[in-house]
Amino acid sequence: MILFERFKAGLARTREATLDKLRNLLGLSRWDAAEYEQLEEILISADIGYDTTQQLLKTLMETAGANEIGANLSPGERLRLELNRLLDGDGASPHRFSAAPWVILLVGVNGSGKTTTVGKLAYYFFQQGKRSAVAAADTFRAAAIEQLEVWAGRGRARVIRQAQGADPAAVVFDAYNSVKARGEDVLIVDTAGRLQAKQNLMEELAKIRRVLNRLDASAPHEALLVLDATTGQNGLSQAAGFLRSASITGLIVTKLDGTARGGIVVPIRRQLELPIAFIGLGEAVDDLQPFDAKVYVDALLAI
Amino acid sequence: MLDELTEKFERFVRNLKGQGKLSEANVRDTVREVRRILLEADVSLPAAKSFIDAVTTKALGQQVLTSITPGQQMVKVIYDELAQFLGGASEPVRFGKSPSPILLVGLNGVGKTTTTAKLALYLRKKGRKPLMAAGDVRRPAAAEQLEILGKQLGIPVVRGESSPIKIFEKGYEFARREGLDCILVDTAGRQHIDDELMQELSELQAFVKPPETLLVVDGMTGQDAVKSAQAFSARLEITGLILTKLDGDARGGAALSVRYITGKPIKFIGVGEKTADLEAFHPDRLAGRILGMGDIVGLVEKAQSVVDAEAAEKAAKKLLKREFTLEDFKEQIIQLKKMGPLDSLLAMIPGMKGAMKGIKIDEREMKVVVAIIDSMTPQERRSPRIIDGSRRKRIARGSGTSVQQINRLLNQFEQMQKMMKRFGKRGAPPLGLPRMPF
């Protein structure tokens, strides 16, 4: 599987020693304190976070003693099952396209890869025979619209734009009406990067939502947080912040082609119950793939 | 910045207070707590381990002082060690023969292009004549982005060649011709495992031979900070670090990680989206912030850089003599706004962070006050007493507000004047500002 290979390639290039340690650990039939300690380090190094790591360790230690069925499995297998259980039910939400246009709002902090993801997402729909248009609602960053036009072109999507500095909500309003008139299937809204702690900027997102809501009571049909896989524990605060102000429905994790494992999605899934819709694995337009928990966990553990 | 880390330390200091002696168990419990705090703050495992070892050794070897409590003593050990870990005194940018090149490198999306413009502006304020070279030939519109930023700042930009080396050559010629003394080279972001791109970068460095190569690191990075910093310093001669996006609520533990791996000084931190939002890095202040001591020095510096000292003094005198008018009041609000978002400003004051939690400073309210004052005639601004009912209606219409809002502002302004007058009579300077009308 392509995803699996690329994801693994990143890990393989980090350090063979770490990888050997991990393989060795997962192959053991029984773990003692030293092994659990090793596992703690591995999980923390993957950005799964201190609390979630402790929770996982506790679960594993408990099932090791009590559970008869669990006792038949090696600790590595139980870890795999537990991680799968934590991330279960994920994957690309079925794009039902029950409304026309189907509206997707993309949000995230600066530099997480929103504009790139717009192009990849449009291309994903293009391959399914759907026509996309993009609203250039990042009117703040210099040359953001020019960058978007290149990526939208790669994704075969039309761009609806206004000048830099225009009101993002007004751009979205025009874009919706234009897409509606032309009968295109999907409207993807690219927004300016913003840190979740910035109150006024977060209110701007709420305004975009309100405008869409007036045009179609069910829009936006999806609101996805674009999250950089190198993000540490702040990812949880990002997800919580964007959930509050933009009512996000899921995540897109980008830059998983590096060495970062993106483990922060585990606590995000656990605490906020937000599913992961897609993962981004490179700079080519077809590098976006629906999330698969099983494949992700295997790659995470380098199985 | 580093808010959550600071908060945690504060809580943990409270736990330590009231302990009688600095026992071994005491130290052990403390460092375990410190480890948890550091890991939650995204400090990488190896950096956290090394820091904890140092703290344990220091604390155990120490005499129990009678002048302070064991808690305070522990905090002091942690503070000193933290400051030392974060680096010595803040270091300036290194320059060589003019025009001196500065290379900016890093992963995709950390903020290199924005930081290039911020650093150019910073250096110009210090009297340099910078040129920016758009060496990112890969990301769509990266050169356009730098050019737009250059236009906004009035700093020249060279672009348009097919490789970063060619762009640098073009920039070098341009800088010599125009008498510019430094060239900031923006480069394409890359994953550090991309061999081909890392090779291109190391060739660029070999060609440019910059006295300063700055690794730009996203302040929200997790454990991966170690790996990318290792990879970049294995292929390149890194001379310094810039940490970005520290204006949010990221705990910024990456600062400790990259310092630990590279041993290079953190020279700047990015604290906002505006091109002026770059600050020289002060390890002592950062350590102070982490321990909840606030960043008063930073606040004062910020105020000095944007507020016209003479105008402020004049306003203060007027205030005491009760000549302070609505016009002056508006001036004060504008000065305050120049200092940046109010919430980030207040976070710099010790003790404010806890108190401010959950309180939203509505900057639009400030705009409303300015709009109201703008809708008054000069005479009304000087003597608000003449503002009767029909004038109030007119001002409300003009500023898009309601008569109630005008009433509230005028009432509060009057109370403020009264209070000022009392202070003026006593001859003592006012302790803190009275309640502002927003």
Side-chain angles (χ1 to χ4, degrees):
Chain A
M1 203 161 189
I2 304 167
L3 149 70
F4 183 74
E5 292 309 321
R6 264 197 231 146
F7 194 26
K8 231 163 119 176
L11 188 66
R13 286 197 227 180
T14 55
R15 258 183 311 171
E16 274 305 316
T18 318
L19 207 58
D20 284 347
K21 215 160 80 182
L22 185 61
R23 281 203 196 103
N24 184 29
L25 188 67
L26 294 172
L28 293 175
S29 58
R30 165 198 154 93
W31 287 355
D32 292 319
E35 280 78 34
Y36 281 112
E37 208 170 292
Q38 268 186 36
L39 180 65
E40 186 195 20
E41 293 198 356
I42 288 163
L43 295 176
I44 283 173
S45 299
D47 287 317
I48 285 177
Y50 187 85
D51 285 346
T52 308
T53 295
Q54 300 309 319
Q55 196 64 45
L56 262 167
L57 290 173
K58 202 169 149 243
T59 308
L60 287 178
M61 284 192 234
E62 276 165 5
T63 52
N67 195 325
E68 277 297 316
I69 303 158
N72 293 331
L73 300 172
S74 75
E77 281 164 330
R78 277 186 287 117
L79 171 66
R80 197 170 155 195
L81 280 180
E82 184 58 21
L83 280 170
N84 265 303
R85 197 185 62 78
L86 284 175
L87 293 167
D88 198 27
D90 281 7
S93 51
H95 304 280
R96 286 171 290 118
F97 303 107
S98 48
W102 183 260
V103 183
I104 302 176
L105 181 66
L106 287 190
V107 299
V109 302
N110 321 58
S112 60
K114 281 176 300 303
T115 304
T116 306
T117 303
V118 168
K120 294 181 182 180
L121 202 54
Y123 188 74
Y124 175 83
F125 292 131
F126 168 74
Q127 284 180 312
Q128 300 183 350
K130 300 286 178 194
R131 284 186 303 153
S132 302
V134 178
D138 180 355
T139 57
F140 178 79
R141 183 165 63 85
I145 300 173
E146 285 75 8
Q147 187 185 351
L148 179 68
E149 282 189 326
V150 174
W151 271 104
R154 291 175 185 169
R156 317 287 196 276
R158 182 170 69 97
V159 177
I160 299 121
R161 59 176 288 182
Q162 288 181 15
Q164 202 195 330
D167 176 14
V171 176
V172 171
F173 182 84
D174 284 355
Y176 183 91
N177 287 330
S178 160
V179 168
K180 185 93 184 164
R182 290 199 185 204
E184 282 147 332
D185 305 298
V186 185
L187 171 63
I188 305 170
V189 180
D190 183 31
T191 61
R194 65 202 75 215
L195 299 182
Q196 69 278 13
K198 307 262 157 157
Q199 208 69 46
N200 344 352
L201 292 176
M202 294 306 269
E203 266 159 33
E204 185 186 284
L205 284 182
K207 186 178 169 194
I208 291 176
R209 276 199 75 100
R210 279 199 302 276
V211 164
L212 282 168
N213 222 247
R214 271 203 297 274
L215 293 162
D216 170 358
S218 63
H221 306 95
E222 291 176 78
L224 300 172
L225 171 68
V226 181
L227 183 78
D228 184 332
T230 61
T231 310
Q233 301 311 297
N234 190 250
L236 192 57
S237 160
Q238 285 178 25
F242 282 99
L243 182 61
R244 228 176 6 251
S245 57
S247 307
I248 50 170
T249 57
L251 307 179
I252 298 181
V253 184
T254 60
K255 306 182 198 173
L256 269 172
D257 51 325
T259 51
R261 309 265 58 91
I264 187 64
V265 298
V266 179
I268 290 176
R269 176 83 181 117
R270 202 176 133 240
Q271 292 178 32
L272 303 173
E273 295 179 0
L274 283 168
I276 306 148
F278 290 96
I279 59 172
L281 287 149
E283 294 181 52
V285 74
D286 58 353
D287 282 336
L288 189 78
Q289 304 195 7
F291 179 78
D292 180 326
K294 196 179 159 304
V295 174
Y296 175 79
V297 169
D298 283 359
L300 189 71
L301 299 176
I303 293 169
Chain B
M1 186 179 63
L2 303 181
D3 276 0
E4 292 179 44
L5 187 53
T6 307
E7 251 170 55
K8 288 227 166 87
F9 261 104
E10 272 168 356
R11 197 184 329 143
F12 144 74
V13 173
R14 271 204 299 277
N15 287 345
L16 268 179
K17 273 177 191 160
Q19 301 268 358
K21 255 185 184 174
L22 196 69
S23 69
E24 202 178 322
N26 213 292
V27 171
R28 238 195 347 263
D29 284 350
T30 308
V31 294
R32 198 174 300 139
E33 178 64 11
V34 174
R35 175 178 183 266
R36 191 177 69 83
I37 291 168
L38 294 179
L39 291 178
E40 279 184 354
D42 288 324
V43 175
S44 63
L45 269 170
K49 267 183 195 156
S50 160
F51 177 77
I52 280 155
D53 286 350
V55 167
T56 311
T57 317
K58 274 259 173 71
L60 281 177
Q62 247 183 28
Q63 296 265 320
V64 176
L65 303 172
T66 46
S67 54
I68 52 174
T69 68
Q72 288 168 331
Q73 199 174 340
M74 240 353 254
V75 170
K76 188 181 179 317
V77 172
I78 294 165
Y79 170 79
D80 290 347
E81 208 54 36
L82 204 55
Q84 207 186 322
F85 252 70
L86 288 168
S90 103
E91 286 188 37
V93 177
R94 289 200 257 179
F95 290 95
K97 202 171 138 267
S98 176
S100 181
I102 301 166
L103 220 55
L104 288 101
V105 301
L107 298 176
N108 337 44
V110 295
K112 281 178 302 302
T113 305
T114 308
T115 304
T116 303
K118 285 180 176 182
L119 184 57
L121 178 66
Y122 178 90
L123 292 174
R124 194 182 59 191
K125 277 189 188 164
K126 298 270 172 196
R128 295 271 167 185
K129 288 183 212 143
L131 169 72
M132 299 193 285
D136 180 357
V137 295
R138 304 186 76 246
R139 182 163 61 88
E144 283 85 344
Q145 186 184 352
L146 197 65
E147 191 165 46
I148 292 168
L149 292 170
K151 266 197 195 119
Q152 284 168 4
L153 301 172
I155 292 171
V157 173
V158 288
R159 58 172 283 197
E161 298 296 326
S162 57
S163 83
I165 289 184
K166 282 189 186 144
I167 288 169
F168 174 73
E169 280 182 312
K170 188 173 167 184
Y172 193 81
E173 281 314 308
F174 183 90
R176 282 179 54 141
R177 214 172 41 240
E178 303 290 320
L180 304 173
D181 58 16
C182 54
I183 308 169
L184 292 91
V185 187
D186 183 23
T187 62
R190 60 205 72 216
Q191 288 294 335
H192 52 277
I193 54 166
D194 189 332
D195 273 331
E196 200 185 313
L197 278 172
M198 291 302 277
Q199 184 57 33
E200 181 192 286
L201 206 51
S202 95
E203 279 165 17
L204 176 67
Q205 190 182 50
F207 183 84
V208 173
K209 294 190 190 65
E212 188 82 277
T213 299
L214 299 167
L215 177 65
V216 185
V217 179
D218 186 329
M220 299 185 290
T221 315
Q223 299 285 325
D224 198 54
V226 167
K227 287 181 207 133
S228 55
Q230 262 165 353
F232 274 97
S233 39
R235 302 290 288 263
L236 297 172
E237 173 78 30
I238 301 293
T239 57
L241 308 161
I242 298 182
L243 238 71
T244 61
K245 306 182 200 172
L246 282 179
D247 47 329
D249 61 353
R251 300 174 197 174
L256 250 72
S257 308
V258 289
R259 267 286 302 167
Y260 170 75
I261 292 295
T262 64
K264 301 299 178 200
I266 300 168
K267 297 204 166 176
F268 297 96
I269 55 173
V271 291
E273 299 196 7
K274 297 194 188 109
T275 38
D277 294 333
L278 187 77
E279 295 178 353
F281 178 70
H282 298 277
D284 44 343
R285 284 188 213 167
L286 183 58
R289 269 189 88 110
I290 292 169
L291 293 176
M293 295 171 187
D295 186 4
I296 277 293
V297 191
L299 181 67
V300 171
E301 252 182 27
K302 197 157 192 179
Q304 279 171 346
S305 71
V306 291
V307 175
D308 181 351
E310 226 171 274
E313 199 175 316
K314 222 167 86 187
K317 272 189 189 146
K318 280 178 142 185
L319 205 65
L320 292 179
K321 283 201 217 145
R322 219 203 155 178
E323 284 165 12
F324 193 70
T325 64
L326 279 163
E327 188 72 49
D328 300 320
F329 182 56
K330 190 186 110 187
E331 236 1 85
Q332 294 288 301
I333 292 175
I334 290 166
Q335 296 272 17
L336 199 61
K337 278 182 76 170
K338 270 200 233 160
M339 289 170 69
L342 264 183
D343 35 6
S344 70
L345 215 60
L346 288 165
M348 292 166 110
I349 302 169
M352 261 311 204
K353 252 176 327 252
M356 289 304 298
K357 193 107 198 172
I359 298 177
K360 219 164 62 182
I361 304 266
D362 198 343
E363 287 180 43
R364 277 176 313 186
E365 280 283 312
M366 286 169 66
K367 262 193 209 155
V368 169
V369 171
V370 173
I372 293 175
I373 298 175
D374 278 343
S375 299
M376 297 175 181
T377 65
Q379 205 192 352
E380 286 167 347
R381 285 177 216 163
R382 275 192 303 273
S383 33
R385 269 167 303 130
I386 64 165
I387 305 177
D388 56 18
S390 76
R391 281 178 194 259
R392 280 175 205 226
K393 262 187 222 153
R394 193 205 74 239
I395 295 166
R397 263 202 314 277
S399 56
T401 57
S402 64
V403 173
Q404 283 84 356
Q405 276 170 294
I406 313 287
N407 291 345
R408 200 167 60 218
L409 173 68
L410 290 174
N411 276 339
Q412 279 164 337
F413 181 72
E414 198 187 343
Q415 275 169 20
M416 187 169 143
Q417 274 192 324
K418 271 185 197 155
M419 200 193 289
M420 285 300 146
K421 203 182 172 194
R422 276 209 306 276
F423 279 122
K425 271 184 187 156
R426 263 192 274 153
L431 289 170
L433 285 165
R435 225 187 83 80
M436 292 289 215
F438 44 80

